Amino acid sequence: MLNIVVRRLVAGAALLVVVSALTFVLVALIPGDAASNILGPGASEAQLETLRHQLGLDLPLWQRYLDWAVAAVQGDLGTSIVSPQPVATQLGRGLEVSIPLAFGAVLVGSLIGVAVGVFAAVEGRWLSKALDVLVLVGMALPTFWVALLLSSVVGVQLGWLPATGFVSFDDDPVGWLRSLALPVAALCVGGIAMVSKQTRDSVDETLSRDFIDALRVEGASPRRILFGHVLRNAAIPTVAVLGALFISALSGAVLVESVFGLPGLGSIAVRATSTRDVPVIVGVAVYFCLVVIVVNLVLDVVYALINPKVRVRS
Amino acid sequence: MSYPRRISAIAAAAAIALSALSLAACTADPSPGEETDPTDAAGRSPMLTVGSQYPVMSLNPVLTPVSNVVTFAYDPVIFKANDGSYLPDLATEWGYVGDGNTVFEFTLRDGVTFQQGGELDADAAVASLEYFLATPNSNGRSVGAIDSVEAVDERTVRITYAAPFPNAVESLTQFYGMGLLIGPDGLADPDGLEAESDGAGQYALNPDETVSGSTVAFTANEDYFAPDAIRFDEVTISILTDANARLSALKSGQIDIAQQIPVAQVGQSALEGLQTLTGYTNWKSIQFLDTSSGPLASADVRRAINLAIDRETLVSAFYSGQAKVQEQTTPEGQVGFDESLVGSTPFDLDEAKSLLASAGYADGFELDLLTSTISDQGGLLGQVLVDQLAAAGITVNLTVANGTFEELMGALSGGEHDAVVYGLFANDLYTMVTQSIVTPGTLLNPNGAADTTAEGLIADAAQAADADVFAQTLRDLNAHLNDVSFGVPLVTESSTDIVSDAIVLPSTSYTIPQPNVVAPDPALAISKTS
């Protein structure tokens, strides 16, 4: 187990270096920079050069990256070029929104998806076939469209939940839950479809295996078979998709945050990209990467715990 | 095998997730838009919430490229009302000294304090102006070539320009960072302005309720020099970059004003019980990039292009009526606009062909036209122009520049294109001709197409003795640009704000649909009923 964790951490660190360096290079390749954005159209070349010097944008790319990396290792992600705020402060506030949003979508999506999948597997063919159709629909629905629909119907027409905005948990826990309800609902539709299909197929496959027949012959109750054997075996492939589900939720959050006016990492990324605010763009990329690494590490550990084959291989 | 009861535990787990969402829905919504408190004894309402599309880059009035948020905390030297008039604010008097428009003075109001405690005097104003001039920002090129700023006495500030500058009053209004004065304590720590404002405005930044990138909150400044002008105890700006989000927030009562709603949403949305405010803030035109040789050197050819454009059809078919025909270089409502030029450029295909023939292009010619997705989404307007000019025998080779402003600039200055389709913010003609068009080296004339008459009139306007002379000179310039068909004005696009019916509106203008939320005269600012 320790071996798995160490290997994943080393790979994660390497990934962080690659992602941050690539982000630096890609941003540099986009025409324009923060100086032209700050001074606006029509600024003279002399004005631009002066500001570039002040912002350190005239240094070679490798030197800017090295300076950033040395500071980042010490926990300093720098200061936004556009507004003099520490990047870590901005991103910390963004995480307060994006993390609950993504985790909420995975939690709700997996709970409902597992329930629907198991129900479809044990309740006969018509439900199973209906699920196939619903899964297709769920996967095909664009997240932003679902978000718009929920905001318009539930938020505006019915007035049950806030159509936009975010409330901090510290200010009002109930308000926090209400402000996240619709965004989470919009984000988890695809997850429900993905998890329910995976679960249904896994339960189906497990129920058809010989040891289940043996258990029935031995007189094991259906409850014991389902909860003691089927779900444990069926959970292995389901847990494997949760990582993909989380990444999908995190990337989908960019659009959902825009529709619901949430100040998450996605909104920060869009704003920083439009102003060529390199420290913030790289910071967002690193934070996204870190979250994905941590979540995948946790899922790897869980996967190893419930799947003995992985432990043996490691 | 059947598990009717046994799977109930799993179903219950799913129910936890569902109930978390539905329980949340059962709690009362405390959104600010639903508050119904009456105005207090001072005539103030408790809260105003504005949905803004612009991300707030900075709360420092010099650094922010868009001043609509910081003006809550920072009053300008001179206030510009929606009808275009200039009113006293931090300054009570102002004017040029002597002839030539190179020295400008203003007198500061007595008894004004900044939010962090400093007093407004000439030294404080000079320090703020000098900070603006020393700090790179997007408004720097709009305030003239300033040679020096000095305190004449305790209340009088003098600005000396290196060259005649006729727009000193405009440059000190709320639309430019220079006029929004910062107090001495704020200037001592400019980074701190992101957390604590130091203006002399009606509201002070409330850092506890402000969330970076999402919400900017202000609280009434009880030390404001005209307390009766304050209409709200608190003002909140909600940053909702998505127009659908702004409309949803407005309809559900979370905000009172949804700014900048695009044409498509205005047409599709049910807006019962809401007020729609439309202004005309951007204009589109074709600007010629090289008139020194080839077909475009002929004024007849340029006039033919103007006559070949069916602007009415553009408005009705392309803009679904959400635009207005524009035939002159100055949009309606701006200094330089000439009523007599309305109708001067009708759609006349026969006359266009005749002019082309008389110029030696009876069989037409090829025009390399550049458009950019920055101001022409998908290059669709450019494509319509291709079709319209084809009817006159002009073959347009359209290039659509996808991407950034820098890419567009590169394409403009590369000399590969004859003309460009571009959208400009509606402004007075002097500002436009000195910053964006006509003057060689500006944004849309990078290769220096020269017109000595136009340059002479611009120089005259710069030294105009008073506002009337200034306006007349700009009208003359406008007429000249029309005579020589310097460009091809197309349409003025509408901009729409949607506001709650609880908002009581002051008059708004043709060009600026946004009602003033803050104004030194309460009659000019919005208020809110219960």
Side-chain angles (χ1 to χ4, degrees), chain A residues 103-141:
Chain A
F103 273 110
V106 172
L107 183 69
V108 174
S110 53
L111 283 176
I112 296 176
V114 166
V116 172
V118 171
F119 197 73
V122 301
E123 279 301 309
R125 287 184 183 167
W126 69 269
L127 192 59
S128 192
K129 285 186 178 169
L131 182 65
D132 282 334
V133 176
L134 289 174
V135 164
L136 269 178
V137 172
M139 304 275 270
L141 287 176

Side-chain angles (χ1 to χ4, degrees), chain B residues 7-97:
Chain B
I7 61 170
S8 59
I10 304 169
I16 293 170
L18 283 173
S19 58
L21 297 176
S22 35
L23 274 173
C26 294
T27 317
D29 183 358
S31 59
E34 289 184 2
E35 292 185 26
T36 55
D37 298 353
T39 53
D40 60 22
R44 292 186 199 167
S45 299
M47 169 73 91
L48 177 80
T49 308
V50 180
S52 172
Q53 75 169 132
Y54 299 112
V56 178
M57 300 303 173
S58 171
L59 290 167
N60 179 331
V62 171
L63 298 181
T64 184
V66 183
S67 62
N68 64 331
V69 171
V70 292
T71 47
F72 286 96
Y74 296 85
D75 260 25
V77 173
I78 298 163
F79 183 82
K80 186 177 185 181
N82 270 347
D83 64 0
S85 61
Y86 299 104
L87 303 175
D89 203 304
L90 297 183
T92 52
E93 295 175 2
W94 56 83
Y96 286 99
V97 178

Side-chain angles (χ1 to χ4, degrees), chain B residues 79-330:
Chain B
F79 183 82
K80 186 177 185 181
N82 270 347
D83 64 0
S85 61
Y86 299 104
L87 303 175
D89 203 304
L90 297 183
T92 52
E93 295 175 2
W94 56 83
Y96 286 99
V97 178
D99 297 330
N101 295 345
T102 55
V103 179
F104 183 84
E105 286 186 358
F106 59 86
T107 305
L108 293 164
R109 183 183 295 275
D110 274 327
V112 175
T113 56
F114 291 101
Q115 288 150 11
Q116 293 185 27
E119 286 191 14
L120 175 65
D121 58 20
D123 288 337
V126 167
S128 181
L129 296 174
E130 287 180 338
Y131 169 69
F132 173 89
L133 296 172
T135 306
N137 64 80
S138 59
N139 285 315
R141 69 197 177 90
S142 306
V143 300
I146 294 178
D147 210 24
S148 65
V149 180
E150 59 189 311
V152 176
D153 56 39
E154 193 182 350
R155 308 233 65 80
T156 308
V157 175
R158 175 182 295 163
I159 301 174
T160 305
Y161 295 90
F165 182 63
N167 263 355
V169 176
E170 174 75 17
S171 72
L172 290 165
T173 64
Q174 68 269 30
F175 297 108
Y176 304 87
M178 187 169 79
L180 300 169
L181 298 185
I182 304 170
D185 297 301
L187 291 175
D189 176 22
D191 288 357
L193 295 173
E194 305 296 339
E196 185 181 9
S197 56
D198 192 24
Q202 296 182 5
Y203 301 88
L205 184 67
N206 179 349
D208 296 335
E209 299 294 326
T210 297
V211 179
S212 176
S214 167
T215 306
V216 185
F218 295 98
T219 306
N221 171 19
E222 301 302 342
D223 295 325
Y224 186 64
F225 67 80
D228 290 347
I230 301 176
R231 311 304 294 263
F232 305 96
D233 292 328
E234 293 175 52
V235 174
T236 299
I237 313 296
S238 284
I239 311 302
L240 300 166
T241 51
D242 184 80
N244 284 308
R246 293 197 293 283
L247 264 183
S248 293
L250 179 68
K251 289 177 180 175
S252 61
Q254 290 181 289
I255 61 174
D256 301 301
I257 300 174
Q259 294 182 332
Q260 302 276 313
I261 302 300
V263 170
Q265 271 94 339
V266 173
Q268 291 168 6
S269 295
L271 301 174
E272 294 86 12
L274 300 170
Q275 304 177 76
T276 301
L277 305 174
T278 299
Y280 295 85
T281 51
N282 288 288
W283 66 289
K284 288 271 172 56
S285 67
I286 298 172
Q287 293 296 320
F288 300 122
L289 297 172
D290 185 3
T291 55
S292 61
S293 61
L296 295 178
S298 161
D300 280 348
V301 170
R302 300 196 300 268
R303 173 72 177 163
I305 293 173
N306 264 291
L307 295 173
I309 299 295
D310 185 353
R311 294 172 178 78
E312 297 283 358
T313 300
L314 274 181
V315 168
S316 61
F318 187 77
Y319 285 99
S320 306
Q322 303 293 323
K324 290 203 172 188
V325 165
Q326 187 172 338
E327 302 165 283
Q328 51 186 300
T329 310
T330 315

